[in-house]
Structures are given as C-alpha cells and as structure tokens.
Amino acid sequence: MFSDWPLLSLVIWIPILGGILVLVTGSDKQAPLARLTALFWSVVTFLISIPLYTGFDTDTAAMQFTERHEWIGSWDIFYHLGVDGISMPLILLTTFITVLVVIAGWEVIKERVAQYMSAFLIMEGLMNGVFASLDSALFYVFWEAMLIPMFIIIGVWGGQNRIYATIKFFLYTFFGSVFMLVALLYLYFQTGSFAILDFHQQPLGMTPQILIFLAFLIAFAVKVPMWPVHTWLPDAHVEAPTGGSVILAAIMLKLGAYGFLRFSLPITPDASQELAWLMITLSLIAVVYIGFVALVQQDMKKLIAYSSISHMGFVTLGFFIAWQIYDNTGSYSGAAMGISGGIVQMISHGFVSGALFLCVGVMYDRMHSRQISDYGGVVNTMPVFAAFMVLFAMANAGLPGTSGFVGEFMVILSSFKANFWYAFLAALTLILGAAYTLWMVKRVIFGTVANDNVAALQDIGRREFLILAILAVAVLTLGIWPAPLLEVMDASVENLLLHMTQSKVIQ
Amino acid sequence: MNNMENVYLWTVLAPLIGAIIAGLFGKRVGRAGAHWVTIIGVAVAFVLSAITFKHMVIDGAEVYNASVYTWMVSEGIRFEIGFLIDNLTAMMMVVVTFVSLMVHIYTVGYMHEDPGYQRFFSYISLFTFSMLMLVMANNFLQLFFGWEAVGLVSYLLIGFWYTRDTAIYANLKAFLVNRVGDFGFLLGIAAVLMYFGSLDYATVFGQVEQVDGQTITLFGDNAWSVITVICILLFIGAMGKSAQVPLHVWLPDSMEGPTPISALIHAATMVTAGIFMVARMSPLFEFSETALTVVLVIGAITALFMGFLGLVQNDIKRVVAYSTLSQLGYMTVALGASAYAAGIFHLMTHAFFKALLFLAAGSVIIAMHHEQDMRKMGGLRKYMPITWITSLIGSLALIGTPLFAGFYSKDSIIEAVAHSQIAGSGFAYFAVLTGVFVTALYSFRMYFLVFHGKERMDEHTRSHLHETPPVVTIPLILLAIPSVIIGAIFMGDMIAGDFFREAIFVLPEHDALGEWAADFHGWWAMALHAFVTWPFWLAAAGVFTAWFLYMKRPEIPGRIQARFQWLHTLLDNKYYADRFNEIVFAGGGRQLGQKLWRIGDVKLIDGLAVNGSAALVGWFAGRIRHIQTGYLFHYAFAMIIGVVVLLGLFVFLNQ
C-alpha cells in the first residue's frame, strides 16, 4: 500500500516541516506541547521509514523508491532521490535514533525546548536527505545544511567550552566540504550532469582520479573522522548536549563513511586502489593508536569519542581492503565481506555509541560531571542502570551476541585474506577495546560508593529505562541475528565491488 | 531423529530461560523462585543430556550435525548456529550439566544470606547455557560465541561482590588476559576461513589433507605451514581459557569470586574449554607436529611449575586453584602427546574431584565464618565428618591413588607421554612425573593442615564449628561417588576402547596412547600393576613427606623456608609474573597511551597543525564572535528555512 507513496520525500520533509511546527509552539511556557509535537513527528517519520525496509527488494542493486523531478533545469540539477541496500539501513537508523534522542531530551532540556526539539527534527530530515540524494548538488545542499543545526545544538545547549568546540567542528567540516564541492563541479563538467549514478559510469584519467579522490578524502575523512583529522570530535562530544553527542556519534560520523561508498570507491576506483595502502594505514592507526589514547582518558565522553574513532577505523579498513586481498590471493573473495562488515559496523556503532553517550548523559544529568574520578560504585545506587551500562560496554568491547561483534568479526576475517598483519593489528581491538571500556566500567560502576554524590544517586526512571531497553534490544537482536541486515545490503555491496574492480582509466 | 533435535534444543534453552527469569524478574519471583526456576532449568538440561548420552554412547546412534538457524550469509558463506552431537559432546554435556546442577543446589546453602541471590542464580544458569553452546557447536563461530560468553559470565561472577576492590581488579584482569587468548583464537578462525572457505567443522576437517602442505609467509621469507599457524593461533585461545603459562595469571585471582563458581567455572568446566577445543580440533592438530610440540611443552611447564606454587599458598582456595592450573597442564600435555582421549578422560574425572575439592573447601570456609587461611584451621575432621571424608576422597582421587578416578586418567597421560615420539616429550615426561610428587605433597599438606593436627582457630570460631547443612553436604556426597568410580568405569572404553569414535582423530604414527593401551587388561589389573610403577611411589612419597613435615615435625617447614629464602620469595611472588605484567603491559600500555595522546594528539595535531593555522582560526573566531550574541540560532534557522523554501519552490515550479 505504501509502494506508490513518495516515501523518501516524506522522511526528509515530514521531520523538517514538523520541526518548523515545533518551533512555532514558541516559548518555554509551551514546552510540554513542543515535546509532544516533536515526539509525534519523530515517531511518524520512523513509522513512515519502516515500509522502506518491508517493501525493499533485496534481489537488486538498483536504486529503489526513486523520485526524480527537475529542480534547476539550466544546470541539469534534479531533485533525485533513491536508496539501495547501503543507504536504506542508514535512513532507518536515523529515524530510529531521532525518536530516542527526542525522548532523551524530554526533561533534561529546560531552556529553549522548542528550538532544541526542532533542531533535531530538522537535522533528521537533512541527514535523510544526504542518504537519499542521488543528485550530487542536492547531496551537497543537504550535506552543508546539516552542519547548521548541529552547530546550533552544540553552540546553544552545549557545555562551558562550547564556542571553542563549535568553531573547531565548523572549521574542520567546512574546510573538508569545500574540496568536495570542487570535485563535484569537476565531475559535473566532465559528465554534464550532477547525477551521482552518472559519475559512477564516467571514465577518468589517473591524475584526475587521484585529485578527486583526495578532495573527497578530505571531506569524508574529517567526518568519519580518520586519524589525523579527528581531534575535533572529542572536543565536540565533550561540549555537546547528550542528544547532540548521540546524533553526532550514531549518524553524523556515518555520513563520512557513506561518502566513501557512494562517491570515492565507485567514482575513482583506480585512485582508490592506488591509495588503498594509505587508507589501510590510516585505518589501522585509528584502531591501534586511538585505542591507546582512549585508554588514558579521564573524561567519559572523551573516552567514548576516542573509542568511536577507533571503531570507525574498522569501517574504513573494511572498505579499502579489496585490492590487497586480490594481490594476496588472486581473487576478490572476501572483499565483499569486508565492505559489508564495515557497513554492519556503522549500524552497530550507531546503536552502541548512542547508548553509551546516553548512559553518560544519565549520569551527567545527576552528577554534572563526566570525570571518571568523580564516580565509583554507581552500581550500589543505580543497579538497573549499571546492568545496561555493562551490557553496552560489552557491546563496545565487541562481545559475540552483541552487534559490536558482527562488523569487527567480518572485517577481521576479511583483512586476514589481505595480510596477516592487518588482521593482527585490527584484532588488537579485542584487547584494547576491552581494556579501555571495562576499565572505565570498573572505575565508574563497580567498587564501593565513592562519595556522597554517588550515594545520593537515583536509579533510572521509566523514560530512561525505555530508551536504554530499546537500544539493548537493538544491540542484542543485531548480534544474535544479523542475517536480515546482510541480506538487505548484499546485492548493493556486490554491485559496488563490481564498480571498484573495473578500471575507469581512459586508455 | 526429529525427537532428538528437540532434546538438543531444549538442553540449551532450559538453562537460558531459567537465567532470563531469575535475572530480569528476580524481584518478582523472589529468592526461592529464582533458585527453583534455575535449578529446574539445569535439571532439565541434565536429564536431556543424560538422554543424549544414552542415545549416542549406549545406543550408538549416528553423529548428529545440523543447523538451527542461519546467523548470516556473506559472499555465499553461511555462518550457522547449529549442533554437532557425538560421543565427545555427549560426555561433555553430561559433565557440564551434572556439575552445574550440583553447584546450583550447593549455592542455595552457600549464598543464602547474600543480597545478590537471584543475580547469582541467573549468572550460573547463563553460564550453563553458554558452556553448552560451546561444547555443542558444530562450527567455529558458535564456538567463539560460547567461548566469549563463558568469559563474560566468568567476568560477572569473579566480580560478583563488586564492592571488593580485589574482586573487581581480578575480574578485569581475567577478562583482559582471556582477551589476549581470544585475540589469537579469532585470528586462528580467520585463518581457517581463508584456507578452508568455511567455518563448519565437518567441512573444515574434510579438507585438511588438501590444505596440508600449503604455506604462509609471516616474517620475511620464512614459509610456515598453514596448519601449524592455524593450530598455534587456536591454541593461544586455549592458553587463555585453560590458563596455560604465560596466560595463567588470571586463574588464581579468580578465586575472589564466590566458591561455587570457583568449583563450576574455574575448575570443572570453563577452564577445560581449551582442552575440549583442542581435542575437537584433533583433525587439525594431528597435521602439525610443530604445534603439538608447542602444546606439549606449554602444558608440561604449566603442570610442573604451577604445582610448585601450590606448595607455598596458605589460602585454602588458592591451593586448589594452583592445583587446577597444574592439572590443566596435565591435560594439555596429553593433547600435545596426541593422547586426546586421555586429556578428555582427565578433564572428566578432574571435573568431579576438583569440583568436590572446591565445594569441600567452600564448606570449610562456611564453617570457619569465611576464614580462608589454613594456618588458622586444623583438626576440623571432628567437627565436619562429611566434609572431611569427601575431601579425603577428592584428594586421593587428585593424587592418583589406584582405583580412584584420577589414577586412571593421570596414569594414562603419563604413559602416553612416555610412549610419545613428539619433540619435547622427554621434558614433558620428566615434568608430569615430578608433578605427581608435587601434587601429592601440596594436596596432603592442605589436607593435614585443615583436617588434622592442632586446632589453631580462635575460641569463638571453634565454639561455632559444625557440619554444614544438607544442601551443602549432599552435593559433596554426590560428587564423591563419581570421584571414586568414574575412572574405573570408563577406563576401558575411553582409553583402550573406541569411546570417541570419529570425534577424535589420531594419526597412526602419533598414537602413543593406543600403543600403551594395547597392554590394557582391565581396570583391576591396571590398579594392581600401579604398585610397581613410578607414579604410585612418587605419590606415596609426597603424602609421606606432607605427613612428616606438617604432622610429625611441623617446625621443619619454617626452617626450610628460612634456609631457602630466595626460593620461597620466588614462589611466593608467583615467579613475578604478575609484577611483570603489571609493569610491562598494564603500565606500558598506559604510558604509551599518555604519550600518544599528550604528544601525538595534543601537541602535534592540535598544537602544531590546528593551532598552527591560528591566524585563520583567529580570523574566523573573530567573525563568529560578532554574531554569537544570542541571535545566532535565529539567524541559522532563517538560513535553513530559506533553504527549505528555495528547494520547495523549485520542486513545485518544475512539476
């Protein structure tokens, strides 16, 4: 019944219009109304996104639920939407997480409630726009516009150092985007179109490929973020309100990784192959180096932020391992598993890091501190919360049966085929991830009650329980039965690999 | 057949359901509800395991190997969750569920005052589920799932008393050390997938001969046999879980957990997962003599040197813990000598008598009001007759007294090593033989210190001493029975017969055990023959020495200690392994992290690169500061709305 609805337009515009409606509720006197309106629209958006999954044809790599209208005719710019097995799960992740974020901010945000809620709704629409765009100009508009609500969220509802963090965040990401714009314009002049799928077919010489690849790399690497352009992330997380951190970690980081899949790999396969060594090196540095850095963090949010960077290293490692596998074994068998593993890791990290930031938020709301040393023995006063925290910590440490295991497992299996030492370094996360996560749990959750503030803690209420329980179910479901997610992306990943393995260099 | 499928499924589900009810609805079902639901769950699993055992072993049914559900499919490779049920699995299922059931019952008494009662039952049932998933797996993925899941429960249970600093230190340490093992294990699994194209046991084992001979280069140009690399990587996993040197350091500390789990997890079942795994992988290990040598030597080192440490411990649980380490070393030695059957046989007998010894130690600890120092015990036999007799039975079984369970399994190992041709078997033979003396010495040192001699406890404790309640003593008795008879019953089948059928594979040229077992003439004859072999006299000498040192002339140990102070310091510090890890790995890791963060991130990237463009940032900051006066978000919203209107307008106009 939904098949002829413009579902993608709806998941973009309903939250944006809903956000504007929330804004209209005005001052904080109307805060309850603002909250309810926001919840209503976020739930509606989530429900509308479900047919994207149920109506999805897993047998084809072609774009589905497409919509195409002329937008700026003289420039051949189209309002062109569509999803494949790679972007569809990410849209569902976005609509799902946004509902949780709205609930998470329910009582916590007391000032400028309407603006807060509307910023998240508008950002949801814009992020869905990024994932659904098939026209690169449209993509770019959403990509840039998305920065604004995030900028506001950190800048208005953030911590003490929020101005420094917003500027750092803005500069980093804006700097990256400019290069992407240049690359897109170059591709437009080559193909005469802004359609991303046309870019995929465009033959390109090696030099332009390398330049385009590097331009994209700057834009996407900052977003992922990859070492060494990652230092904005810990600062942004520390200053962002809980909801901002959740969206940042769960979805915005995925946009960078998505960019590699949609742009870099299929448009510049030869350059990707040429520079795969660089990508693999940066990814492994992220996994190992950042793992060590995470170990010594004193601030819980910083620790989870560094852990995010380390986990995202698996994503980029999985994406760029294909050619090394070919060099080592003479076949691409195992490459698709790496890419799929990277995507699974993106989804899983959305759940797990989101959940961990929410957990820190729960504690911060009560104690107004993120310093590990201010805590100790939280389990004594918040046993239910502690159970959730341990579960999500275990998922972060990649325990089988949780979603955190699946992607890392696949990427390690895949990278072993390329080189024993890649797998060796990547697998170090088994030790490092457990070390930094569980050491934090030991110091924060376990032990005797550390001080009077901890002694006075109240366990989580129904609202907090609901959010964490939903995430726990998601984490466990994906860990126990990842098959449905793999099935959705299978055809699209195969198709992507096909693009990656065919040279586009003009002879 | 369909019937049995349900039996297998419910064997794992019953404890899981119990764990979920006790864990999530602990408050609602109450304390009694929690222990009933989990005990029933595990009892069901035990009965079903017994049915499976009868079906497989006694009726000799075909091996069952089928999938339950498909976990995922990637590149056409199916990752399944499924069961492989053969005689090896059936035996493990019975051992796991039986010991677990005993421990569940015992816990009712041991933990009855603990506020975390429901949580405890939930954990041990969850453990039973995980362990069953591990032993019943038909593929490496599920094996790894069970492997890490038992590690998780072990972590939760060691840190069960989470307000104790030592407990939460020990559980973190246990998890991390196990992760070092799992790191190797996972790489091994990745290697299996790469070279065999599947993670299914049957498929992998069916292709060993094609892969045998292939090589992989790791360092420079050195070509390594693929099978060797796979086996060593998998064995690193076993070293973590089964606490082999140098990954043994977590097991003694794991004694911080409540005693029932020391019995269940850290003696009888989980720590033997590594032994089970290597036996399960015998079709792989048989094709790499290098790997077998590694296994043999590591096992021998563990068997001997961990035994020495048992000699100087004063904490009753730690003596049993080091004894466990040493016995795990024996099992590993058996694996290295290709005597997988002997290793598994010892695993089984050890599960009973070591669980017995732990639970008996726990019984002593209850009676002593949670005092664990043996120097404050003595003469307990008068007060606790059941605990005393069952402990004696456990100790006799452990040191390999003829006719007791441990005798048959340990002698099989020693004889197999004696006949083995694998490099390193000479050293291993020396280690396991010396180990017999050491085992007898520390076991009976403990026995005499606790149950005989002067009563060294304070008056208050003495006046309250009495035998523990039946929920504690009945499991002791039920475990004492197999500790006596199980060896004689299964010796003929497991060692001399073909108990494991196709579950265990041994190349003819490695079959030292078979060579020795050809002379087997029944359990009675073997027991009689023992009196003319070295192990018996070594054990007897150990018992005698213990009696002489701790009963007859109790002043001597102090003098020996004073004379050989350096040796005592070395043993007391456990060869400084903990200190080494603390400084090099834990300390080094933190140091490295600090350096990378402070220098790499803060100084170089942020300091040089980011603030190096300070002029640019300053310029931007200057701009932004002007608009950052409260109007910013209004302004930005206006921008978004502008974009929205613009977009909408174009869409609308162009339709």
Side-chain angles (χ1 to χ4, degrees):
Chain A
M1 70 176 271
F2 299 106
S3 53
D4 44 354
W5 291 25
L7 287 172
L8 291 173
S9 280
L10 292 176
V11 297
I12 296 170
W13 298 107
I14 284 183
I16 292 179
L17 294 172
I20 293 171
L21 282 177
V22 172
L23 207 56
V24 174
T25 61
S27 76
D28 283 344
K29 282 177 201 152
Q30 302 286 334
L33 180 64
R35 292 185 185 115
L36 281 175
T37 320
L39 181 64
F40 176 78
W41 290 116
S42 64
V43 170
V44 165
T45 313
F46 177 61
L47 292 178
I48 285 178
S49 69
I50 290 174
L52 288 177
Y53 173 73
T54 54
F56 192 83
D57 179 2
T58 56
D59 293 333
T60 171
M63 291 297 167
Q64 306 184 30
F65 304 101
T66 49
E67 298 166 39
R68 189 164 181 271
H69 310 285
E70 196 174 316
W71 181 23
I72 307 174
S74 52
W75 281 72
D76 278 326
I77 297 177
F78 285 82
Y79 176 79
H80 189 182
L81 303 177
V83 285
D84 62 359
I86 295 170
S87 47
M88 188 274 283
L90 292 166
I91 291 184
L92 256 72
L93 178 71
T94 309
T95 58
F96 172 73
I97 294 286
T98 304
V99 177
L100 298 185
V101 164
V102 168
I103 304 173
W106 205 258
E107 290 144 11
V108 180
I109 299 297
K110 296 192 174 67
E111 285 168 16
R112 302 199 176 106
V113 177
Q115 283 97 328
Y116 178 87
M117 293 294 177
S118 97
F120 279 102
L121 283 177
I122 291 174
M123 192 153 61
E124 176 186 15
L126 297 174
M127 289 187 299
N128 283 339
V130 173
F131 289 130
S133 294
L134 293 181
D135 185 287
S136 58
L138 187 67
F139 174 91
Y140 189 78
V141 170
F142 281 126
W143 177 273
E144 291 293 352
M146 183 182 74
L147 285 181
I148 302 166
M150 196 65 205
F151 184 68
I152 296 172
I153 287 166
I154 302 177
V156 176
W157 293 274
Q160 292 183 340
N161 238 337
R162 58 183 183 267
I163 306 302
Y164 172 75
T166 42
I167 292 168
K168 204 170 176 182
F169 167 69
F170 192 81
L171 276 181
Y172 256 111
T173 45
F174 194 74
F175 175 76
S177 309
V178 173
F179 287 90
M180 177 166 71
L181 181 62
V182 175
L184 293 179
L185 288 174
Y186 177 86
L187 286 166
Y188 168 71
F189 289 121
Q190 291 295 310
T191 59
S193 149
F194 274 110
I196 298 173
L197 295 181
D198 289 348
F199 294 170
H200 289 183
Q201 308 297 335
Q202 175 66 26
L204 290 164
M206 199 60 187
T207 316
Q209 276 203 38
I210 297 268
L211 291 174
I212 293 171
F213 180 86
L214 290 176
F216 282 141
L217 175 62
I218 294 170
F220 301 142
V222 165
K223 267 282 194 310
V224 169
M226 298 178 75
W227 186 88
V229 287
H230 63 281
T231 59
W232 64 271
L233 186 74
D235 286 320
H237 270 306
V238 165
E239 298 308 327
T242 302
S245 284
V246 173
I247 292 290
L248 196 56
I251 304 160
M252 285 192 89
L253 303 192
K254 311 305 174 306
L255 292 160
Y258 174 74
F260 285 121
L261 295 176
R262 189 61 86 222
F263 290 88
S264 308
L265 290 169
I267 294 174
T268 61
D270 303 283
S272 303
Q273 179 175 10
E274 193 69 23
L275 294 173
W277 64 270
L278 175 70
M279 301 302 291
I280 292 168
T281 309
L282 295 182
S283 306
L284 289 172
I285 289 177
V287 172
V288 179
Y289 170 116
I290 299 294
F292 276 106
V293 173
L295 196 60
V296 296
Q297 297 306 312
Q298 300 300 319
D299 180 309
M300 284 188 272
K301 268 193 162 180
K302 268 201 174 166
L303 195 154
I304 302 167
Y306 276 111
S307 147
S308 292
I309 303 167
S310 182
H311 281 100
M312 290 303 286
F314 272 91
V315 176
T316 44
L317 176 64
F319 290 173
F320 284 89
I321 205 77
W323 299 283
Q324 255 68 6
I325 291 177
Y326 185 81
D327 289 348
N328 192 33
T329 65
S331 98
Y332 283 105
S333 150
M337 193 183 291
I339 298 170
S340 311
I343 301 171
V344 174
Q345 174 83 342
M346 286 160 73
I347 304 285
S348 159
H349 180 259
F351 295 146
V352 177
S353 69
L356 282 173
F357 278 117
L358 283 167
C359 283
V360 175
V362 164
M363 288 188 281
Y364 184 81
D365 293 340
R366 289 162 172 73
M367 301 264 292
H368 300 286
S369 167
R370 293 178 309 263
Q371 295 301 311
I372 292 174
S373 54
D374 287 343
Y375 290 85
V378 170
V379 64
N380 296 289
T381 42
M382 303 179 72
V384 179
F385 169 74
F388 279 116
M389 181 86 181
V390 170
L391 171 69
F392 295 128
M394 282 294 169
N396 201 43
L399 192 82
T402 67
S403 63
F405 169 69
V406 188
E408 289 178 13
F409 179 65
M410 295 172 76
V411 173
I412 290 170
L413 291 187
S414 166
S415 57
F416 195 98
K417 292 194 176 178
N419 187 320
F420 172 81
W421 294 104
Y422 295 167
F424 181 92
L425 290 171
L428 280 178
T429 198
L430 243 66
I431 304 166
L432 287 170
Y436 59 68
T437 317
L438 297 182
W439 192 30
M440 176 182 78
V441 167
K442 170 182 180 280
R443 288 176 292 169
V444 172
I445 299 292
F446 295 137
T448 46
V449 173
N451 52 48
D452 293 347
N453 295 335
V454 174
L457 284 175
Q458 294 283 317
D459 209 342
I460 47 175
R462 281 187 186 184
R463 179 183 58 84
E464 291 162 325
F465 182 88
L466 178 74
I467 307 170
L468 296 178
I470 290 173
L471 278 167
V473 170
V475 164
L476 290 173
T477 309
L478 187 52
I480 292 168
W481 197 38
L485 179 60
L486 267 297
E487 199 184 320
V488 161
M489 68 178 68
D490 213 30
S492 300
V493 170
E494 284 298 330
N495 180 51
L496 172 63
L497 196 62
L498 207 65
H499 277 287
M500 286 163 62
T501 52
Q502 283 171 350
S503 174
K504 280 178 146 195
V505 177
I506 310 159
Q507 297 303 324
Chain B
M1 200 65 208
N2 199 20
N3 242 345
M4 288 314 287
E5 205 163 78
N6 283 325
V7 167
Y8 307 142
L9 198 57
W10 283 102
T11 308
V12 295
L13 288 183
L16 178 65
I17 293 169
I20 291 173
I21 294 175
L24 296 186
F25 308 103
K27 272 207 185 106
R28 216 160 298 168
V29 297
R31 294 164 81 88
H35 73 231
W36 276 115
V37 73
T38 50
I39 287 174
I40 290 170
V42 173
V44 167
F46 172 64
V47 170
L48 296 178
S49 298
I51 293 172
T52 308
F53 190 82
K54 177 183 178 293
H55 180 70
M56 292 307 303
V57 178
I58 299 170
D59 302 348
E62 287 280 297
V63 171
Y64 172 92
N65 181 7
S67 149
V68 177
Y69 76 93
T70 302
W71 189 66
M72 71 169 196
V73 184
S74 181
E75 295 193 25
I77 299 169
R78 303 178 71 83
F79 297 80
E80 308 268 5
I81 298 296
F83 298 138
L84 169 68
I85 312 291
D86 56 13
N87 286 7
L88 176 60
T89 312
M91 189 221 89
M92 289 298 291
M93 285 164 68
V94 172
V95 171
V96 168
T97 51
F98 176 71
V99 178
S100 175
L101 183 61
M102 292 303 108
V103 167
H104 272 75
I105 296 169
Y106 179 92
T107 299
V108 175
Y110 193 86
M111 300 294 284
H112 75 106
E113 282 170 352
D114 200 283
Y117 195 76
Q118 288 97 318
R119 186 162 56 95
F120 191 87
F121 276 100
S122 169
Y123 288 170
I124 51 177
S125 269
L126 184 64
F127 170 78
T128 312
F129 159 76
S130 311
M131 192 68 201
L132 286 170
M133 287 294 279
L134 191 163
V135 298
M136 292 166 76
N138 73 348
N139 64 79
F140 287 84
L141 170 74
Q142 186 180 339
L143 175 70
F144 192 71
F145 166 80
W147 192 265
E148 290 249 302
V150 292
L152 166 74
V153 189
S154 165
Y155 168 83
L156 294 172
L157 282 166
I158 297 171
F160 183 78
W161 288 313
Y162 47 70
T163 51
R164 293 187 187 173
D165 275 341
T166 45
I168 59 178
Y169 173 81
N171 78 342
L172 180 63
K173 179 172 165 183
F175 198 88
L176 292 184
V177 173
N178 267 292
R179 268 295 170 103
V180 175
D182 295 356
F183 161 77
F185 196 37
L186 186 56
L187 289 177
I189 292 174
V192 167
L193 183 72
M194 173 168 174
Y195 288 97
F196 293 90
S198 170
L199 291 183
D200 178 64
Y201 289 161
T203 317
V204 170
F205 298 156
Q207 294 177 26
V208 176
E209 285 177 35
Q210 286 95 290
V211 175
D212 187 32
Q214 287 190 38
T215 56
I216 176 174
T217 48
L218 298 181
F219 313 92
D221 295 330
N222 283 352
W224 290 65
S225 149
V226 165
I227 303 268
T228 298
V229 171
I230 290 176
C231 288
I232 290 179
L233 287 171
L234 293 176
F235 181 63
I236 291 173
M239 285 163 70
K241 198 85 7 192
S242 291
Q244 299 295 302
V245 174
L247 299 183
H248 66 284
V249 289
W250 64 273
L251 186 60
D253 286 13
S254 77
M255 297 301 133
E256 291 298 334
T259 304
I261 65 116
S262 304
L264 174 61
I265 301 185
H266 304 120
T269 53
M270 183 188 86
V271 289
T272 60
I275 311 298
F276 164 79
M277 186 268 285
V278 175
R280 176 58 86 205
M281 302 298 150
S282 57
L284 287 175
F285 279 81
E286 278 303 291
F287 285 87
S288 170
E289 293 206 354
T290 317
L292 286 175
T293 297
V294 171
V295 174
L296 188 67
V297 171
I298 296 275
I301 292 172
T302 310
L304 183 58
F305 289 91
M306 292 302 115
F308 286 142
L309 295 183
L311 294 173
V312 298
Q313 299 298 320
N314 290 316
D315 181 318
I316 181 168
K317 277 180 76 179
R318 288 197 179 240
V319 178
V320 192
Y322 280 105
S323 157
T324 305
L325 279 172
S326 168
Q327 297 304 310
L328 288 167
Y330 273 89
M331 297 176 212
T332 308
V333 166
L335 302 174
S338 292
Y340 307 98
I344 294 291
F345 187 33
H346 196 51
L347 183 163
M348 177 180 79
T349 60
H350 176 262
F352 294 117
F353 64 70
K354 191 51 68 65
L356 169 62
L357 282 171
F358 259 119
L359 295 186
S363 173
V364 169
I365 293 168
I366 301 174
M368 295 292 298
H369 295 287
H370 291 271
E371 175 60 67
Q372 304 193 10
D373 192 332
M374 295 190 298
R375 288 170 298 190
K376 296 180 184 159
M377 298 178 187
L380 288 183
R381 70 181 191 284
K382 280 182 290 189
Y383 305 99
M384 320 181 64
I386 301 176
T387 307
W388 166 52
I389 293 291
T390 50
S391 290
L392 181 60
I393 291 172
S395 302
L396 289 172
L398 168 62
I399 67 167
T401 313
L403 293 176
F404 284 74
F407 161 73
Y408 293 99
S409 52
K410 196 185 280 185
D411 252 31
S412 305
I413 293 175
I414 293 169
E415 291 300 334
V417 177
H419 286 79
S420 171
Q421 304 298 321
I422 298 279
S425 52
F427 165 68
Y429 185 60
F430 163 77
V432 290
L433 218 47
T434 317
V436 171
F437 174 78
V438 178
T439 307
L441 180 55
Y442 67 66
S443 300
F444 274 80
R445 168 178 176 263
M446 176 176 86
Y447 169 77
F448 288 128
L449 281 177
V450 173
F451 293 104
H452 293 266
K454 244 178 72 189
E455 298 171 9
R456 293 177 299 272
M457 67 290 288
D458 58 53
E459 202 44 50
H460 172 77
T461 313
R462 192 208 319 265
S463 62
H464 286 86
L465 272 177
H466 58 83
E467 183 59 278
T468 42
V471 278
V472 173
T473 51
I474 288 172
L476 294 183
I477 296 166
L478 290 179
L479 283 165
I481 296 167
S483 299
V484 180
I485 61 170
I486 201 90
I489 293 176
F490 283 102
M491 179 65 201
D493 281 342
M494 281 200 184
I495 302 299
D498 189 25
F499 180 89
F500 294 110
R501 292 191 282 177
E502 55 281 270
I504 284 173
F505 172 81
V506 183
L507 284 178
E509 62 263 38
H510 291 164
D511 196 10
L513 187 67
E515 205 178 296
W516 169 70
D519 290 336
F520 176 74
H521 299 295
W523 57 273
W524 181 248
M526 182 174 166
L528 286 183
H529 179 71
F531 294 100
V532 296
T533 59
W534 275 107
F536 173 79
W537 293 105
L538 283 168
V543 175
F544 175 78
T545 313
W547 172 81
F548 186 77
L549 290 178
Y550 295 94
M551 295 294 294
K552 182 79 177 159
R553 302 282 298 278
E555 74 282 4
I556 295 184
R559 259 187 262 158
I560 298 177
Q561 187 180 322
R563 184 74 190 277
F564 298 98
Q565 193 57 50
W566 62 272
L567 185 62
H568 185 263
T569 313
L570 182 69
L571 293 180
D572 204 31
N573 287 290
K574 302 156 231 156
Y575 309 116
Y576 294 95
D578 280 337
R579 192 84 60 86
F580 179 82
N581 290 332
E582 186 69 29
I583 294 169
V584 174
F585 293 112
R590 283 195 297 265
Q591 285 272 321
L592 182 61
Q594 284 289 357
K595 292 258 154 61
L596 290 175
W597 183 38
R598 298 278 177 205
I599 297 174
D601 267 32
V602 177
K603 272 210 182 120
L604 291 180
I605 297 175
D606 266 2
L608 224 70
V610 179
N611 298 351
S613 17
L616 186 68
V617 176
W619 179 81
F620 241 95
R623 288 289 132 138
I624 287 166
R625 212 174 290 128
H626 286 297
I627 46 173
Q628 183 62 265
T629 50
Y631 298 112
L632 172 65
F633 62 95
H634 290 160
Y635 178 70
F637 273 117
M639 257 173 84
I640 297 176
I641 292 165
V643 171
V644 169
V645 171
L646 208 68
L647 263 170
L649 203 65
F650 277 111
V651 174
F652 181 71
L653 286 180
N654 286 302
Q655 257 182 355

